[in-house]
Amino acid sequence: MSHLKLTPSLWSSWNYYKEDEDAQYQNLLDTLNLVIKPPTEAMQRGIDFENEVRGVQLAEQSQLESLAITCADVIQEMLYQQRVFKELIIDGQPYIVSGIIDWLGRDQIIDLKWTGKYEWGKYLTGNIGHLAYTYCTGIPDFKYLVCDGSAVYHEDYSASSEMSNAAALIEKFSAMLADIHRIPEFREAYLTKWICTPLEYESKVFQLETK
């Protein structure tokens, strides 16, 4: 049986759409249609900084060495870019929650973020990666490691239970799904492009191993 996928990145695109439906309509439709776009300037800065941190982790020279070393010290001995999957039932319909974790350890998950302007709580309130990835892995401790070019900030989340995480995800994804199914173009793209077959996720059962 095939499942439809739900990912933090899809939810983020929908969240931007809810802030300005006219301006973000095409962006959400492109996301649903899996359109590949070149990264924006802000996205590229985030990618570049993640590569800087990865370089320090691998003992390479870094242009942003002091900030990158601060982040790399946190993620030493963690696995980089790990894909995870887990089934989630919403209104009787099975979905697959999936995504790629930046850094994964035995007892903590790290998501690295770059932003031009930081306010405390920015990611705990405006992102669902902490809910999705603690749910998928069963690891309760999650940290957003955020850099704005001048300092490194920590936003920490601890899941109280798998049940509470599932309930929070169901609430957030249900609101997104209601909007997607309300608009024919969104609905068609989602139902045709976001199918996940059992072979895709059953062959990638989450197994944590550390270096």
Side-chain angles (χ1 to χ4, degrees), residues 26-187:
Q26 189 62 47
N27 180 62
L28 178 54
L29 184 59
D30 288 346
T31 298
L32 288 164
N33 278 311
L34 305 179
V35 175
I36 299 174
K37 297 180 179 180
T40 64
E41 183 179 348
M43 290 169 61
Q44 188 60 53
R45 285 198 298 268
I47 293 168
D48 291 344
F49 185 66
E50 184 173 306
N51 289 334
E52 295 283 352
V53 175
R54 179 63 170 160
V56 172
Q57 187 185 29
L58 298 175
E60 297 172 1
Q61 290 296 316
S62 168
Q63 182 179 357
L64 299 174
E65 190 166 358
S66 61
L67 292 173
I69 287 175
T70 299
C71 293
D73 284 344
V74 178
I75 52 86
Q76 287 297 343
E77 306 303 323
M78 287 183 160
L79 297 177
Y80 179 62
Q81 296 278 292
Q82 300 296 301
R83 182 176 291 278
V84 292
F85 298 79
K86 191 169 183 178
E87 186 178 79
L88 180 69
I89 306 297
I90 301 177
D91 293 331
Q93 173 73 35
Y95 294 85
I96 291 295
V97 178
S98 70
I100 298 176
I101 292 173
D102 284 347
W103 275 278
L104 179 61
R106 282 196 177 277
D107 53 11
Q108 190 178 48
I109 299 165
I110 300 289
D111 193 359
L112 188 67
K113 297 293 186 184
W114 177 278
T115 182
K117 181 181 179 181
Y118 178 70
E119 295 178 357
W120 189 87
K122 177 175 183 175
Y123 294 99
L124 287 176
T125 57
N127 201 295
I128 63 166
H130 56 290
L131 298 174
Y133 296 140
T134 53
Y135 173 75
C136 286
T137 63
I139 296 173
D141 291 328
F142 184 102
K143 182 189 296 290
Y144 289 108
L145 204 57
V146 187
C147 184
D148 64 359
S150 60
V152 175
Y153 311 92
H154 298 233
E155 289 187 19
D156 296 302
Y157 171 78
S158 183
S160 58
S161 70
E162 181 179 322
M163 185 176 296
S164 65
N165 253 23
L169 279 176
I170 288 170
E171 179 183 0
K172 291 183 178 294
F173 277 132
S174 291
M176 180 194 77
L177 290 167
D179 270 351
I180 287 175
H181 287 295
R182 180 173 56 86
I183 299 175
E185 280 187 296
F186 290 171
R187 175 183 169 85

